[in-house]
Amino acid sequence: STIIGTDIVAKSPPDGYTIIIASNNHAINSALFAKLPYDPVKDLAAVGQLAILPFILVVHPSLPIKSVKDLIALARANPGKLAYASTGNGSPPHVAGELLKQSAKIDLVHVPYKGSAAALTDVVAGQVPVMFANSLSSIQFVRSGRLRAVAVGTQKRISIAPELPTVIESGVAGFDVSLWAGVLTTAGTPGEVVARLNREMLSALALPEVNEKLIAEGAEVTPSSPAEFGALIKAEIDRLGRIARAAKMRID
């Protein structure tokens, strides 16, 4: 859950030479674990956000589901019988499934896997019929007809599949779950060092070959300032924590 690496950065000299690419785990770990060896806000300094990797809500074609409304209706007609896969307890796909359950007031069964490949393999095989899967790994199965795409979990439509509506557009207000990534360094690092790291990061993201590679990987580039990324982390700790506690998610 990225705790070991984050702890190394938190305890490193505050000189900007030790950094970590953090994701949603950084924000949700305080809700999943009884105690962390660091404070996710006080012990780390935000450098900037890099990108988000969107999730696509996919279903096995055998299901009579072509929209989020169809999924909600089927779940309400069969409470506790429709299952969704995730890449593990506390993972972003797990959070997405639980947020859909909470927002739509439906009863879905969570089936956690050890990683994306195993989960997606079983969804394609029809063993578990529903999943919020990352866009890059799932789009090939959608385009081949082995999975049906229903919606995307981001606030806006995505570049890799602009024809797909968002879950929000589909009637579930406030739904927003994606895998975000950004750079952190050690708290106490001088402001001018953090600013230099941010400038270099933004310069790299602006390079056409970097930008095109990220988009080809299914990512949406989301460069930000240190302050903006720091504010996002604080907001996500609160939001994801509320979802995790409501779903009684725990790892220890």
Side-chain angles (χ1 to χ4, degrees):
S1 298
T2 73
I3 292 173
I4 294 172
T6 306
D7 191 39
I8 290 171
V9 177
K11 292 177 172 59
S12 292
D15 52 18
Y17 282 101
T18 308
I19 64 174
I20 188 168
I21 295 181
S23 67
N24 305 54
N25 283 106
H26 184 72
I28 200 172
N29 277 342
S30 56
L32 298 178
F33 294 87
K35 188 177 182 180
L36 296 176
Y38 56 83
D39 185 296
V41 174
K42 295 179 181 178
D43 294 339
L44 285 301
V47 174
Q49 189 176 5
L50 296 169
I52 62 170
L53 187 62
F55 290 117
I56 298 178
L57 176 57
V58 294
V59 300
H60 193 266
S62 62
L63 288 183
I65 292 174
K66 295 185 178 180
S67 67
V68 174
K69 289 183 179 178
D70 288 345
L71 174 59
I72 292 171
L74 185 63
R76 286 178 177 166
N78 301 274
K81 294 182 180 179
L82 193 61
Y84 76 94
S86 85
T87 55
N89 286 317
S91 65
H94 183 197
V95 171
E98 292 303 316
L99 181 57
L100 183 62
K101 285 174 59 176
Q102 294 168 22
S103 301
K105 295 179 173 57
I106 54 177
D107 183 12
L108 302 175
V109 178
H110 175 225
V111 182
Y113 285 79
K114 292 182 178 180
S116 176
L120 196 56
T121 296
D122 270 11
V123 176
V124 171
Q127 299 296 323
V128 182
V130 179
M131 183 180 179
F132 279 93
N134 82 62
S135 55
L136 183 67
S137 61
S138 60
I139 197 68
Q140 58 183 313
F141 295 110
V142 171
R143 289 175 176 161
S144 67
R146 298 177 72 186
L147 289 176
R148 181 181 297 130
V150 172
V152 294
T154 44
Q155 289 185 347
K156 299 178 181 179
R157 296 193 181 201
I158 62 175
S159 303
I160 198 171
E163 73 280 3
L164 291 177
T166 65
V167 177
I168 295 173
E169 286 179 278
S170 304
V172 183
F175 190 97
D176 179 22
V177 180
S178 58
L179 180 65
W180 50 257
V183 177
L184 300 172
T185 191
T186 313
T189 299
E192 61 269 22
V193 175
V194 173
R196 169 74 186 277
L197 286 170
N198 180 263
R199 286 196 303 272
E200 298 296 342
M201 185 189 82
L202 296 183
S203 295
L205 287 175
L207 292 171
E209 59 269 34
V210 174
N211 205 282
E212 290 165 10
K213 178 64 174 176
L214 286 168
I215 292 172
E217 293 290 335
E220 303 278 308
V221 181
T222 55
S224 79
S225 68
E228 289 168 335
F229 188 43
L232 171 72
I233 289 172
K234 289 179 182 177
E236 287 287 83
I237 288 172
D238 178 63
R239 186 176 77 101
L240 298 181
R242 280 188 277 109
I243 296 169
R245 287 187 290 273
K248 295 180 172 58
M249 292 184 195
R250 295 293 291 182
I251 291 182
D252 67 347

